[in-house]
Amino acid sequence: MRCSKYRTLIYLQESGDATPRQQLKLERHLHTCDGCRDLASSLEPLPLHEVRSELPLENRELEQIRRSVMTGISPAQAGRGSMLRFALITASTLVVLTGAMFIALHQPGEGPGVSEARVTDAPFVESATVSGDRGRRESVTPQNPAAELESAERTDESAPHIQVPAEQEKEAEALLATGAWQPEQEAIDPAPELETKATAVRIELQTSNPNVRIIWIASGRDEASSEPPESTTNT
Amino acid sequence: MTDIDRIERVSGEDQSDDPVLVAAIREVRDGNTDAFETVMARSERRIASLAWRILGDADEVRDAVQETFLRVYRFIHRYDDSRSALPWLFRITVNVCRDLERGRRKRAERFIELEQNHQAPPENQPDAVAHRNEEIELLTRAIDELPRKERLAIILRDIEGLPTEEVARILGSRPATVRVQVSSARSKIRSFLSDRRRGVES
C-alpha cells in the first residue's frame, strides 16, 4: 500500500470513520513512515474545548435577550401586527376605490355601452344629451323659453352642436325685452308641501346603439316629492 | 406536566444530545409559544459562545443571539426531527453572524484591543491556573488570526465538537473541504503556539 492510501486512512481516522482493521494498518505504517506520521500528528484535535467557556454576555443580559424575544413572538404582538396590516390594506383599498370612482365619474364615457351623459342643474328639470355627432337637446320646460336660452348659454363649449331653435330664442328675447318675464321671479312654484327647492335631475344615456336611449329622472334633494323617480328606455 | 418537564426529570441537566431542547422545539412547533423560553434557556450559551468566536464583538453577539432566536422561531416548522437540534441552531447562528459580519470588520480592532489590554497574570495566582489561562488566551488569539473559513470550520469542529459531516452541512460545503480547512487551521494554530513559546523562551 502506498503512502497516498495511508493518507486517506489518516483522514478517515481523523473523522472517526476508519474501521479497527484500517486503524491497525495505519498504526503499523506510522511506525515506519515519517511523512505520514507528521501528517497524522498535524491532524490531531487541539484541546480547544476550553476556549468555549469564554462568554462575553452575563446571565442578566441573556435574560434580557430572552425577554425581548418572548415579547417579540408573543401572540398579542402578532395580533397587533396583523391588525396593523389589516388597517393598512383597508386604507389602501379605499384610496384605490375612491380614485377609480373619481376617474370613472370625471372621464367622458367612451366605452361601447354609453357614449356620453350630461346632467344640467337648470331651475327645473333640464337636460341635454350629446351623443357623438348627433347633437340634440331636450327640454321638459316648454313654458319657460328664457330658461332654455340661459341654459343653452351655460352649456359647455365642448358641445358646440347644441342649438336652441331660433323661434324659441327670439320669443325668449322678446319676453325679456318687454319685461313680461323676469328671470328672478321665475322661481319654481313648488308644491305646497315641499320645504326645499325642487331640483330634479334628468340623466340621459346614449348607448352605442343609436336607437336605444336610457332616460333617468331623479327627484334630487326633494325628499317630499310626490313623484317617484322615472326610468324610461326609449327604443 | 408537559413533555419537557417529563424529559427534564428523567434526563437531568447535562445531556449531550439534549432531548429537552428537542422536546421544547416540538412543543413550540405545535403551538406552545411559552416553550420557546426553554429552547432559549437550553441553547443560549452555546449560541452566544459560537457568535462570540465568530464575531468577536460583545454588542454584535447580543444582536446575533437575539436575531438567531427570532429566526429560529420564524423557521421552527422547518426543523427536522430526525436530526440533532444543536447543529440546526448553529447553522442559523452562522448565517446570522455572516449577515452581521458583512461589511463589518471589527476583528482587527478587537485584536489590537486584546494586545493593549494584555496583562501578566496576577502573582498570587497558582502556577497551574496561570499557565492554563495563558494557554487559553494564546489559543483564542491563534484562532482569531485564522482566515474566516478555516476559523469557522475549526470552531465548529474542535470547539463545538461537531462531526465533520455536520460542519460541512452547516457551512454549505463538502466534508472533504472541511477536513482540509480543519487540518490547515490546526497546523496554523500549532505553529502560532510554538512561535509564541519560542519567543517567550528566548
Side-chain angles (χ1 to χ4, degrees):
Chain A
M1 212 155 127
R2 292 181 180 181
C3 278
S4 60
K5 297 203 172 175
Y6 280 111
R7 279 176 192 159
T8 310
L9 286 185
I10 290 169
Y11 285 116
L12 279 176
Q13 192 185 34
E14 186 269 334
S15 61
D17 296 329
T19 61
R21 197 164 163 244
Q22 285 172 328
Q23 282 180 31
L24 193 65
K25 264 188 178 179
L26 180 63
E27 207 173 316
R28 277 185 203 148
H29 177 72
L30 290 180
H31 282 299
T32 57
C33 180
D34 289 345
C36 288
R37 200 167 46 239
D38 287 348
L39 176 68
S41 64
S42 78
L43 291 177
E44 275 172 24
L46 290 163
L48 296 179
H49 53 277
E50 289 193 22
V51 177
R52 199 175 64 190
S53 59
E54 186 190 3
L55 196 65
L57 304 181
E58 292 174 15
N59 281 341
R60 64 177 171 78
E61 284 178 296
L62 290 169
E63 269 176 38
Q64 208 176 337
I65 291 170
R66 245 183 282 156
R67 268 202 304 275
S68 74
V69 170
M70 286 308 285
T71 312
I73 65 169
S74 69
Q77 191 73 16
R80 211 175 302 156
S82 59
M83 281 288 285
L84 187 67
R85 265 199 303 277
F86 176 74
L88 278 172
I89 290 167
T90 311
S92 55
T93 310
L94 278 173
V95 167
V96 169
L97 281 176
T98 310
M101 281 173 68
F102 183 81
I103 291 166
L105 287 173
H106 287 80
Q107 256 184 355
E110 289 176 0
V114 177
S115 300
E116 191 171 333
R118 183 181 301 145
V119 180
T120 61
D121 55 351
F124 198 60
V125 177
E126 174 72 29
S127 72
T129 302
V130 179
S131 93
D133 54 357
R134 295 183 298 280
R136 54 184 297 207
R137 182 172 180 278
E138 274 195 18
S139 171
V140 289
T141 56
Q143 303 89 344
N144 187 359
E148 268 195 66
L149 178 63
E150 197 182 353
S151 174
E153 283 168 357
R154 276 193 283 119
T155 309
D156 190 1
E157 286 177 3
S158 64
H161 40 270
I162 293 177
Q163 289 177 356
V164 178
E167 294 162 9
Q168 285 185 7
E169 199 173 342
K170 279 178 189 171
E171 194 182 339
E173 277 172 0
L175 281 169
L176 279 169
T178 57
W181 178 74
Q182 291 178 346
E184 293 80 16
Q185 294 167 3
E186 188 53 25
I188 307 301
D189 187 15
E193 66 273 22
L194 295 182
E195 286 182 13
T196 56
K197 186 180 169 186
T199 306
V201 178
R202 176 182 170 131
I203 300 172
E204 275 194 30
L205 301 174
Q206 179 64 60
T207 64
S208 56
N209 185 345
N211 297 325
V212 176
R213 200 157 50 101
I214 299 168
I215 301 168
W216 183 65
I217 299 172
S219 59
R221 293 194 306 264
D222 183 13
E223 290 174 10
S225 173
S226 55
E227 285 182 12
E230 181 189 338
S231 183
T232 319
T233 304
N234 292 347
T235 305
Chain B
M1 190 192 288
T2 63
D3 286 350
I4 297 169
D5 297 331
R6 266 194 296 274
I7 293 165
E8 195 142 20
R9 263 167 44 127
V10 173
S11 64
E13 279 288 317
D14 293 324
Q15 282 291 313
S16 54
D17 200 23
D18 203 352
V20 178
L21 178 62
V22 176
I25 290 175
R26 281 190 193 132
E27 280 205 15
V28 176
R29 209 175 45 185
D30 293 343
N32 180 10
T33 311
D34 292 341
F36 197 68
E37 189 135 18
T38 310
V39 174
M40 288 192 282
R42 302 294 293 200
S43 59
E44 62 193 3
R45 298 191 76 81
R46 300 289 297 271
I47 285 175
S49 170
L50 177 60
W52 170 239
R53 290 277 100 248
I54 298 170
L55 297 166
D57 180 276
D59 288 334
E60 281 190 332
V61 170
R62 216 168 286 127
D63 294 346
V65 173
Q66 187 163 337
E67 178 59 25
T68 300
F69 284 128
L70 287 171
R71 281 196 203 179
V72 167
Y73 183 77
R74 206 181 308 148
F75 299 112
I76 206 149
H77 59 279
R78 292 192 191 170
Y79 171 64
D80 182 2
D81 279 355
S82 62
R83 291 184 188 281
S84 304
L86 214 51
W88 180 66
L89 296 175
F90 282 165
R91 189 174 188 167
I92 295 173
T93 311
V94 168
N95 287 337
V96 168
C97 291
R98 272 180 184 156
D99 291 349
L100 284 172
E101 226 179 8
R102 211 164 282 157
R104 300 183 206 177
R105 291 287 176 262
K106 289 194 175 175
R107 299 203 68 80
E109 291 168 27
R110 180 174 166 262
F111 190 74
I112 292 163
E113 204 176 297
L114 268 175
E115 199 86 50
Q116 286 165 350
N117 294 342
H118 177 69
Q119 290 172 347
E123 283 179 10
N124 58 356
Q125 244 183 8
D127 279 354
V129 175
H131 179 72
R132 190 173 156 270
N133 287 346
E134 202 178 321
E135 284 289 306
I136 289 172
E137 192 178 329
L138 268 179
L139 280 172
T140 306
R141 290 169 70 176
I143 292 167
D144 283 347
E145 285 211 336
L146 292 172
R148 194 179 168 281
K149 284 180 179 175
E150 288 180 10
R151 199 173 70 236
L152 273 177
I154 195 106
I155 287 169
L156 293 168
R157 180 74 184 88
D158 281 0
I159 299 180
E160 298 300 339
L162 298 177
T164 307
E165 282 69 25
E166 203 68 73
V167 176
R169 204 171 293 129
I170 290 171
L171 299 179
S173 47
R174 290 182 305 153
T177 312
V178 171
R179 271 187 207 111
V180 170
Q181 285 168 345
V182 168
S183 163
S184 166
R186 280 172 185 163
S187 61
K188 280 176 187 171
I189 290 170
R190 279 197 181 97
S191 67
F192 179 90
L193 294 177
S194 65
D195 285 353
R196 290 284 161 148
R197 278 169 196 149
R198 226 176 289 142
V200 169
E201 280 168 15
S202 64

